[in-house]
Amino acid sequence: MRLFERVRMDLDHVQSGAFAGTDEYRIVRTKEQVAELQGKLADGKYDQPELDEVVASIGRVLADNRLSPQARDMLNDDLNRVRDYRAHHDDWH
């Protein structure tokens, strides 16, 4: 799923400018969750609770990290696309 690949790439970009410590930890954890979900989806397994956790995790990065306006816009766009996927996942397969 290219959607989740893009989310991980955007998180990589945001991580490169993150403050060490809690900010970076949230980003790393979110990337791990996205990778786990992406692996399940690649195997044909839709995991609603895990998708919900990814949405929440991206939301925490947005709410709690010090981000540039560009990084914030990029992650907000990703979050909206992931929410759209969650709402319409049957149409994406």
Side-chain angles (χ1 to χ4, degrees):
M1 303 241 22
R2 294 186 194 268
L3 166 63
F4 296 104
E5 184 177 320
R6 167 136 185 217
V7 171
R8 285 189 1 205
M9 287 174 38
D10 289 348
L11 287 165
D12 284 340
H13 176 76
V14 170
Q15 184 181 8
S16 69
F19 292 91
T22 310
D23 278 2
E24 188 172 17
Y25 172 78
R26 275 189 290 274
I27 295 168
V28 169
R29 180 67 188 128
T30 302
K31 285 175 24 181
E32 290 169 352
Q33 290 171 320
V34 170
E36 290 170 16
L37 178 62
Q38 190 175 15
K40 285 183 179 181
L41 292 171
D43 290 339
K45 300 173 188 166
Y46 179 78
D47 187 331
Q48 180 74 41
E50 193 159 350
L51 179 57
D52 291 342
E53 185 54 39
V54 166
V55 168
S57 191
I58 295 170
R60 283 190 294 276
V61 170
L62 283 164
D64 298 335
N65 281 40
R66 294 162 277 190
L67 302 171
S68 71
Q70 178 188 10
R72 187 168 303 283
D73 288 346
M74 183 172 47
L75 288 181
N76 265 317
D77 185 51
D78 289 341
L79 180 58
N80 288 330
R81 280 183 289 174
V82 172
R83 285 177 174 156
D84 184 54
Y85 173 80
R86 180 176 60 182
H88 306 286
H89 71 274
D90 288 335
D91 299 334
W92 288 53
H93 294 281

